[in-house]
Amino acid sequence: MTGSTGRKVTANLSLTLDGRYNGPGGPSDFGMFAPYVTTEVARDHLTRIWEGATTAVLGRINAEGFLGYWPSVAEDESADPRDRGYAKWLVDAEKVVFSTTLTEAPWERTRLVNAPAADVVTELRTTGAGDILVNSSTSVIKALLSADLVDRLHLMIFPEIAGGGQRLFDDGLPASTWTLTHQETGTLGEMAMVYDRVR
């Protein structure tokens, strides 16, 4: 369901083998992901997610967390070039941040929105060019999956069973078919996959 501009809606997320994006300790429980996020496969995957994108869509929690981390990486000449590339892209890109509480945009080139994700993303597709990347913000990704608005999923699967925590694919999503367009496996068993929605 691509708008008149041809913009694709892409989303990225890391998951455990049992489909969790955090552990049983709650939204900040990412301990089981730590060994995998700096592997060669994960860093190449990081580059892949933003290369065609011009707009970053974030929830408030991710926006604030990213703001505390990525701008310094963009300036750090000793950082991995792939991390730096992503960081510079994120700082410079148009950003749309979903929030019901923020009154002031936390970054430059940022627009705050308090509206249904499907409506906002549908409107974003009507202007501009380049992909719209929903950047690890699960509340937004879930809303767009429910509305069948995601065209591409960038997934990192880590070889861990969390045994608890939140899942990306909730019951009740509309049935859909996807094509695997990229797959890469790292030495620790981590897998980077790209799935495109078949329409």
Side-chain angles (χ1 to χ4, degrees):
M1 191 167 157
T2 302
S4 58
T5 60
R7 299 188 82 183
K8 281 192 178 122
V9 177
T10 69
N12 74 291
L13 200 60
S14 297
L15 300 172
T16 58
L17 281 180
D18 54 342
R20 319 279 183 171
Y21 56 86
N22 58 37
S28 59
D29 183 1
F30 298 114
M32 81 280 299
F33 293 177
Y36 309 101
V37 295
T38 57
T39 66
E40 292 299 302
V41 166
R43 282 190 158 130
D44 288 345
H45 186 71
L46 185 65
T47 300
R48 202 175 298 114
I49 69 170
W50 66 263
E51 279 181 321
T54 55
T55 302
V57 173
L58 298 151
R60 175 190 61 81
I61 292 170
N62 268 8
E64 291 181 330
F66 286 11
L67 177 62
Y69 180 75
W70 288 109
S72 61
V73 175
E75 302 298 322
D76 182 0
E77 292 185 13
S78 65
D80 185 284
R82 293 162 293 187
D83 292 354
R84 254 191 115 187
Y86 170 75
K88 285 179 173 179
W89 171 81
L90 188 58
V91 169
D92 293 339
E94 170 196 23
K95 289 170 282 293
V96 176
V97 174
F98 285 88
S99 176
T100 57
T101 56
L102 290 177
T103 55
E104 218 171 272
W107 289 19
E108 290 178 13
R109 290 176 289 287
T110 301
R111 177 165 58 106
L112 292 176
V113 292
N114 180 4
D119 294 350
V120 173
V121 168
T122 298
E123 183 258 322
L124 280 173
R125 293 177 99 147
T126 64
T127 58
D131 293 346
I132 300 158
L133 171 62
V134 186
N135 214 334
S136 298
S137 296
T138 48
S139 60
V140 180
I141 296 171
K142 286 182 176 198
L144 297 179
L145 285 170
S146 291
D148 196 16
L149 287 173
V150 178
D151 301 302
R152 175 171 289 163
L153 276 170
H154 296 270
L155 297 176
M156 280 293 305
I157 308 296
F158 298 140
E160 303 274 344
I161 291 176
Q166 293 169 289
R167 285 196 163 103
L168 174 60
F169 300 109
D170 294 327
D171 287 347
L173 288 175
S176 56
T177 302
W178 299 75
T179 299
L180 181 66
T181 57
H182 181 88
Q183 179 184 349
E184 201 175 339
T185 305
T187 55
L188 300 178
E190 74 281 16
M191 287 199 306
M193 295 182 289
V194 181
Y195 284 97
D196 283 352
R197 176 74 170 93
V198 177
R199 299 203 185 271

